[in-house]
Amino acid sequence: MPEMRESGACTTCSGAGYAVEQVVGGSARAHRCTCQTACPRCGGTGYIMVASGASRVAQACSCRHLDQRIAAFNAANIPAAVAKASFETFRPWSQSQSRARTSCEGFAHGVRTDQASRGVLLHGKPGCGKTHLLAASLRWLALEKGISCRYVEFMLLLSDIRAGFSSNRGHMEILGPLASVPVLAIDELGKERGTEWERSMLDELISRRYNTGLTTIFATNYPRDPQAIPVPTGGKFHTASKDFQRDAEQMSLEERVGQRIYSRLNEMCDFVALDGPDYRKDAEPGRGSFWR
Ligand SMILES: [Zn+2]
Ligand SMILES: [Zn+2]
């Protein structure tokens, strides 16, 4: 038997009933905590007998829902690097990160399977915790609500589709399940090269989900508005104009994904900006990571 706290809650899972492990080279995996292996209600049969009028009938034990929730999490394909990411393990360094966590929590708590939910689009520089918050949202949806969801990094999805072509698999074989899963998280939006084919894949995926009212959340390194970039002379900042020579890093999300997809994103999601830690103000010794 696992150790129990004085309150009676298991010290391994704090009473959640599941534990999550990081499988190196794979994706995040959840399993039943040892405190749940022999269910005290049904003794592991998955059914309990309940009174129904004068007779007694078998009813599914609530521990079966635990298995469904664990299966939903294991199907979500959350990367091993953020296997343990949850809202509790997110450590905000800045006000915007704190607000972003609140937005994602509000989103995850509000998702329903019987109606369309507005998603969130997290935008900000690399390393400010966007992937953590995507993973934490999916974790909540799967493990607390049993909602089917999937994580996908858009660049890797494109290479899967390309690899499918060489083995005569059409793109819908790979896109299909992602187009129909109740909640999808698309990470690294806009990082692709932006070829016509890449955009058509993104457009198809997003349009299918939009048209069927499914919920999608996104993360991107590209900002909502064109960035203020330094001009070589004068030392002042100005907003980049179209004719200003910029590299990909300085483009806006709209420029990266095109106007059509960008306007869809606005209809589907609330945009939430995150900025990285302000090291001068927020850095504390020994705080090197978002993860505990
Ligand atoms: Zn436990
Ligand atoms: Zn049971």
Side-chain angles (χ1 to χ4, degrees):
M1 276 298 277
E3 223 178 293
M4 294 288 165
R5 289 207 180 108
E6 265 177 49
S7 61
C10 163
T11 51
T12 309
C13 70
S14 311
Y18 54 79
V20 174
E21 58 185 333
Q22 192 172 19
V23 179
V24 176
S27 55
R29 302 287 299 173
H31 56 83
R32 249 172 196 269
C33 180
T34 46
C35 72
Q36 297 286 319
T37 43
C39 171
R41 293 183 76 209
C42 68
T45 61
Y47 288 96
I48 49 168
M49 299 304 289
V50 292
S52 169
S55 57
R56 289 170 72 76
V57 293
Q59 195 184 64
C61 177
S62 59
C63 73
R64 289 169 67 94
H65 299 260
L66 177 62
D67 290 332
Q68 285 163 10
R69 287 185 274 134
I70 287 171
F73 182 81
N74 290 341
N77 225 12
I78 294 169
V82 284
K84 308 259 186 189
S86 68
F87 294 127
E88 293 76 47
T89 59
F90 186 76
R91 305 175 77 186
W93 297 63
S94 66
Q95 281 197 338
S96 72
Q97 288 175 325
S98 184
R99 278 195 298 271
R101 178 174 65 185
T102 305
S103 300
C104 290
E105 266 184 301
F107 156 77
H109 291 197
V111 169
R112 289 172 51 174
T113 45
D114 58 346
Q115 63 180 53
S117 304
R118 203 168 162 73
V120 286
L121 184 148
L122 305 172
H123 59 100
K125 296 237 156 60
C128 60
K130 301 184 299 294
T131 301
H132 184 124
L133 288 176
L134 289 187
S137 302
L138 298 185
R139 178 194 177 107
W140 180 272
L141 293 172
L143 285 173
E144 298 299 325
K145 299 180 111 174
I147 294 176
S148 293
C149 50
R150 280 286 296 275
Y151 169 94
V152 71
E153 198 180 303
F154 191 64
M155 287 270 279
L156 296 181
L157 172 64
L158 291 173
S159 34
D160 283 351
I161 296 173
R162 281 195 203 93
F165 290 149
S166 55
S167 51
N168 278 328
R169 292 162 69 213
H171 72 281
M172 274 318 287
E173 244 182 85
I174 291 152
L175 273 195
L178 298 173
S180 60
V181 69
V183 180
L184 179 67
I186 301 179
D187 202 359
E188 299 285 12
L189 181 66
K191 206 179 171 187
E192 65 281 1
R193 285 169 302 160
T195 65
E196 214 169 297
W197 177 78
E198 289 176 340
R199 268 191 196 173
S200 73
M201 290 298 113
L202 183 60
D203 191 35
E204 180 160 1
L205 179 59
I206 291 178
S207 296
R208 280 173 184 270
R209 297 190 59 80
Y210 175 82
N211 291 335
T212 46
L214 294 172
T215 306
T216 315
I217 56 178
F218 299 89
T220 181
N221 294 341
Y222 294 94
R224 179 167 210 164
D225 304 309
Q227 291 169 88
I229 55 168
V231 282
T233 53
K236 285 191 176 170
F237 287 75
H238 80 153
T239 302
S241 62
K242 281 240 156 64
D243 54 355
F244 200 91
Q245 203 63 44
R246 284 167 301 151
D247 60 32
E249 243 91 286
Q250 290 162 327
M251 289 168 87
S252 70
L253 180 60
E254 183 173 5
E255 288 171 297
R256 294 298 299 172
V257 299
Q259 216 171 20
R260 179 187 149 83
I261 291 171
Y262 183 73
S263 77
R264 274 279 151 81
L265 296 172
N266 275 282
E267 287 177 64
M268 296 167 84
C269 292
D270 291 327
F271 280 51
V272 179
L274 283 87
D275 49 36
D278 183 338
Y279 289 102
R280 290 158 304 174
K281 281 195 300 205
D282 304 325
E284 286 169 25
R287 283 190 69 174
S289 132
F290 296 108
W291 292 276
R292 280 194 192 126

